[in-house]
Amino acid sequence: MNEIIIRGGKPLEGTLRVQGAKNSVLPILAATVLHPGRSLIRGCPRLSDVEASVRILRHLGCEARWEGPDLAVDAAPLCRWDIPDCLMREMRSSVIFLGAILARCGRAETSYPGGCELGPRPVDLHLAALRKLGARVREEGGRLCCEAGEMAGREIALSLPSVGATENLILAACGAAGETLIVNAAREPEIGDLQAFLQAMGCDVRGAGTSTVRVVGRQRTRDAVHTVMPDRIAAATYLAAVAAAGGEVELTNVRASHLSTVTAALHEAGCEVCGDEERLSLRSGGALRSIGTVRTAPYPGFPTDAQAILMAALLRSRGATVFVENIFENRYRHVDELCRMGADVHVADRVAVVTGVERLSGAAVRCTDLRGGAALLVAGLAAQGTTRIGEVHHIRRGYEDPVRDLRALGADIEERP
């Protein structure tokens, strides 16, 4: 199994282009199922989760092939509506295929999703919403068996603004008769990107980015070309890396408005941050200060995916910072690994208190999940000595080539078998 080796203590300098968004492209790939024709996804990041989605598409009968940095999908030959357990277990967002297959085929069969162990996700929200559209859903031996029946649009209020449930409901509603009104919808930018792709395909979807989304189902679809939005969490990771290690880096292919809570936290910690909707630059002397309480929340609040990353950046800050995790139950699994490097972090239930230390030391650590692995990258860049990170397959789920990117900024980093 591969490991990433970092010899820390070097400031980062240079310019880096941010990859396409993982959390955007996965529902878009599921949405390609809706159209019996060709979709071209430009700037599709080459991630293990994307490859898992491609395997699902091919199992369903679709054709999917890489054309340089783009991914072309032809869903015309789709001939199945089931996804086997081995494919569902590869990633947590695999459940997003449920609504799209149901809309296209009138039935769908999957198991529960796998992926990082961050605690239970409210799959019941997805199923309850599908039932309100008129779908019949039953569980048999760990499988979810769904039949569309006579799906008809109606007003559906989500009890929580779940990103996955919002996306699944949008996709299913594309196959329902009439108008569906989704109330208390998630507002994350990635839902706006899904809407843009669906509109390019000919679907009638409006309101993404607000708490109310309207879908008029059963529209005539067409071949579509779409460029994936920038990955705001990858951008946050590289900003945090510069904040922790010191230096000055400019990121391109970013949308600053999507990163406002992260950049505000880094600015409060003592970094100089400036930019516009296309570029962001950050300068840090590496000596940060503690900041006010960080509470994760649905967008536009502080993203749960950036919690571990910001925590790693503040491990050597002056003072103490409190983190409150409001989204996932098990989002502090990376803390024990950070403490191996000399970090002072104490966790009680959903609260973590980070007291800055003068020095971090390189150590042998392992990735516990995707964003926890990114946090170890950030900490390793700030530590003295050599950090060896194991189980890096977690990182590959969401970052195209972090070793290449960080090396381009001057980091002493490599990956070895």
Side-chain angles (χ1 to χ4, degrees), residues 18-21 190 193 228-233 252-255 258:
V18 176
Q19 68 186 47
E190 292 79 10
D193 207 32
V228 181
M229 63 174 274
D231 194 313
R232 60 194 174 107
I233 306 303
T252 63
N253 191 41
V254 296
R255 296 181 187 172
H258 295 171

Side-chain angles (χ1 to χ4, degrees), residues 2 40 73 162 170 190-191 289 291 310-311 346 364 366:
N2 287 11
L40 182 64
V73 178
S162 162
I170 289 173
E190 292 79 10
I191 296 173
R289 55 179 175 264
I291 63 177
L310 178 62
M311 179 184 291
H346 295 274
R366 65 177 183 87

Side-chain angles (χ1 to χ4, degrees), residues 106-125:
R107 60 188 300 187
E109 184 176 326
T110 72
S111 63
Y112 285 92
C116 293
E117 298 177 5
L118 304 177
R121 286 195 178 184
V123 176
D124 58 312
L125 288 179

Side-chain angles (χ1 to χ4, degrees), residues 251-310:
L251 300 181
T252 63
N253 191 41
V254 296
R255 296 181 187 172
S257 60
H258 295 171
L259 289 157
S260 59
T261 55
V262 175
T263 54
L266 293 172
H267 176 74
E268 185 182 350
C271 300
E272 296 179 27
V273 187
C274 62
D276 52 34
E277 277 300 282
E278 299 296 329
R279 296 173 179 269
L280 264 178
S281 63
L282 184 143
R283 178 186 298 171
S284 169
L288 304 180
R289 55 179 175 264
S290 61
I291 63 177
T293 301
V294 178
R295 302 177 187 274
T296 64
Y299 191 85
F302 191 90
T304 181
D305 281 354
Q307 174 257 107
I309 298 160
L310 178 62

Side-chain angles (χ1 to χ4, degrees), residues 211-229:
S211 58
T212 303
V213 177
R214 297 176 184 271
V215 183
V216 179
R218 301 186 180 176
Q219 301 297 298
R220 183 179 180 86
T221 57
R222 56 179 179 262
D223 290 357
V225 177
H226 179 75
T227 300
V228 181
M229 63 174 274

